[in-house]
Amino acid sequence: YIYIYIYIYIYICSQLFFLSILLAVILRNNQTSFGFALFGDIELEACGSDCQSDQAVFRVCLAMTLFFAANFLAVVALPASAAVDFHSGYFGWKFLVFIPLLVGMFFIEQDRMDEFAMAARVFSILFLVIQAVAIIDTAYRVHYWMVDKEQAGWDIANLSVSTALYVASIISIGFMFSWFTEGGPCHVQKFILSTVLLIPIFYTAFAITSVVEHGSLFVSATITAYGVYVTFGALSSDPSETCNSFIDSSRSADTWEIVLGIAFVAISITYIAYNMGESSSKIFGKQGDEEEDEKNAVAGASVPDSKDPESEGDNGGGGLVAKGTGLSDEELDKQKINAVIFHLLMTLASMYTCMLLTRWTSLDYSNRDGRYLSEESMWIQATSVWLIFALYSWTLVAPVMFPDRDFS
């Protein structure tokens, strides 16, 4: 039953995360000061311009980042049994900590928020790569699910979707050459688009050869399409007026990109929270002896004695006593790792959401439109595309290079 508590906690954290995003979106469009009237014309202003627009987004996201980072550090520091206990309970206490933490963020000076924005821009690339792990694993699962049907109709669907994704990607790259390279020399933009066009050709050709038995056209097409999507976000962040034809677009035109980004975040968090341990094994592989140890751990799981008072589930403090769940030490260690991964994921997701809602904002607040553009943001997102392609290429070559590991 400890898994029920863990899933409930994951659900509560996810709801807290998305409610915070909703608050950030509302405050992002706010242009008024926070305060209340004391007497007559006397008013107390709790937060002025620093808490409006993107500054408000920074404060909400920093509160989420610190909250999940504190949970991450606590789970890392505690022993496995206590870590699982902490991870699976104390919902009310954690909520009571988050509320004053969120309020306190609105009393921090702007310079600190600018430093957080800079850090979030860098760490967000890690979330993009983790998100890519989820997408790669999902694509493999969907591919094998269709293949296992052993029906011609599903094979046709597999091929049709793969073809559609490739066609959409090629057309999108063609449009991006028109949108981001025709205003001038634009050598950097041409280089980025050329790599996004050429690299998929190589890993796709390798994936369909007999050397890679697990290769898949469907997975290659999915990763290519995702890479093209991230590339558009990178190039649209380019501050060059001669190369970026979207530089004069209104902020409302970017709504669809924010919606898609939040959708990817939601899918990634939901998927990775339940499957990260298994997904990481698929990416990096498990040794044969590791598989045997895992089987022995499951077979040797202890069963609690119902008459043992130490086996009672409630410790009186709102948490669930892990030793009363019948989990072996190995299973407790595994659950602790899953908890560490979950809170690390939520910490990085909080930073990534900050960049998503502010369009990877720069530190130049003198220009309301220009602050959504920077070369740093362009290069960070472009680099994440190359890392995503490299990670997928690894899933193709790793089983060939390390046949003693299990990547199935």
Side-chain angles (χ1 to χ4, degrees):
Y1 54 84
I2 188 172
Y3 296 106
I4 298 177
Y5 282 82
I6 292 175
Y7 292 155
I8 291 175
Y9 178 72
I10 291 174
Y11 174 78
I12 292 176
C13 284
S14 300
Q15 293 301 310
L16 178 65
F17 179 81
F18 290 113
L19 286 175
S20 299
I21 291 179
L22 179 60
L23 175 63
V25 171
I26 294 174
L27 295 178
R28 178 176 180 261
N29 298 319
N30 174 69
Q31 301 300 324
T32 61
S33 300
F34 296 94
F36 53 90
L38 293 178
F39 179 77
D41 295 333
I42 302 177
E43 295 183 354
L44 176 63
E45 184 178 282
C47 199
S49 59
D50 288 349
C51 297
Q52 299 172 10
S53 191
D54 291 346
Q55 281 293 314
V57 174
F58 292 154
R59 283 160 166 75
V60 174
C61 292
L62 178 57
M64 291 194 297
T65 301
L66 293 177
F67 175 76
F68 289 116
N71 279 271
F72 166 77
L73 293 175
V75 172
V76 170
L78 292 172
S81 178
V84 174
D85 186 24
F86 178 81
H87 177 60
S88 62
Y90 304 98
F91 312 125
W93 290 108
K94 292 175 182 178
F95 181 77
L96 291 177
V97 170
F98 177 75
I99 295 302
L101 178 64
L102 175 62
V103 174
M105 293 299 103
F106 288 88
F107 295 91
I108 297 178
E109 58 185 10
Q110 179 175 314
D111 290 343
R112 302 286 81 78
M113 293 300 106
D114 294 341
E115 293 172 358
F116 168 68
M118 183 180 297
R121 187 185 299 115
V122 175
F123 282 100
S124 292
I125 192 172
L126 297 178
F127 181 80
L128 284 173
V129 174
I130 294 174
Q131 188 170 254
V133 172
I135 292 175
I136 292 172
D137 189 58
T138 302
Y140 273 116
R141 287 173 179 267
V142 173
H143 167 70
Y144 286 119
W145 177 77
M146 289 189 288
V147 170
D148 290 341
K149 294 291 184 179
E150 296 183 349
Q151 298 178 5
W154 286 106
D155 292 338
I156 295 174
N158 190 319
L159 182 60
S160 299
V161 173
S162 302
T163 302
L165 289 174
Y166 272 121
V167 171
S169 298
I170 294 173
I171 293 176
S172 298
I173 292 174
F175 276 115
M176 283 192 282
F177 267 107
S178 174
W179 294 332
F180 301 110
T181 65
E182 291 189 350
C186 306
H187 298 302
V188 171
Q189 292 76 6
K190 290 177 180 177
F191 170 74
I192 293 174
L193 286 172
S194 297
T195 58
V196 175
L197 178 63
L198 295 176
I199 293 177
I201 294 178
F202 289 104
Y203 65 59
T204 300
F206 186 62
I208 61 177
T209 61
S210 58
V211 178
V212 184
E213 297 180 356
H214 64 287
S216 165
L217 190 66
F218 177 84
V219 180
S220 299
T222 302
I223 300 306
T224 300
Y226 178 73
V228 170
Y229 159 73
V230 178
T231 300
F232 176 80
L235 295 179
S236 62
S237 300
D238 180 16
S240 173
E241 295 183 359
T242 58
C243 298
N244 187 356
S245 62
F246 290 90
I247 203 167
D248 295 325
S249 299
S250 64
R251 293 175 67 188
S252 59
D254 300 320
T255 301
W256 70 269
E257 186 178 350
I258 293 176
V259 171
L260 281 177
I262 293 177
F264 274 120
V265 172
I267 294 172
S268 300
I269 290 176
T270 302
Y271 186 84
I272 297 176
Y274 291 97
N275 299 283
M276 188 52 162
E278 186 176 353
S279 300
S280 61
S281 296
K282 292 174 181 291
I283 297 298
F284 301 107
K286 290 186 292 187
Q287 300 275 3
D289 56 346
E290 292 175 341
E291 284 188 314
E292 189 65 27
D293 290 343
E294 184 176 302
K295 293 179 180 178
N296 293 335
V298 174
S302 61
V303 179
D305 184 359
S306 59
K307 297 182 180 180
D308 187 357
E310 294 186 353
S311 297
E312 294 297 325
D314 190 1
N315 65 359
L320 187 68
V321 178
K323 63 183 179 182
T325 63
L327 298 180
S328 64
D329 291 341
E330 291 81 4
E331 186 64 22
L332 285 174
D333 291 337
K334 179 180 178 181
Q335 291 303 320
K336 176 179 177 177
I337 293 174
N338 289 340
V340 169
I341 291 174
F342 174 75
H343 288 294
L344 176 61
L345 170 69
M346 297 298 288
T347 302
L348 296 176
S350 299
M351 294 184 181
Y352 174 74
T353 301
C354 177
M355 294 294 97
L356 187 66
L357 294 178
T358 59
R359 283 298 310 276
W360 300 78
T361 180
S362 69
L363 302 182
D364 181 13
Y365 294 97
S366 60
N367 186 318
R368 182 173 179 81
D369 295 324
R371 69 183 179 182
Y372 292 96
L373 307 167
S374 71
E375 290 186 357
E376 293 89 349
S377 298
M378 179 185 70
W379 279 112
I380 287 174
Q381 294 181 82
T383 302
S384 70
V385 175
W386 298 328
L387 288 177
I388 291 165
F389 287 167
L391 184 60
Y392 173 60
S393 299
W394 167 256
T395 67
L396 295 176
V397 302
V400 179
M401 296 175 59
F402 303 100
D404 58 325
R405 288 179 174 266
D406 176 26
F407 293 85
S408 60

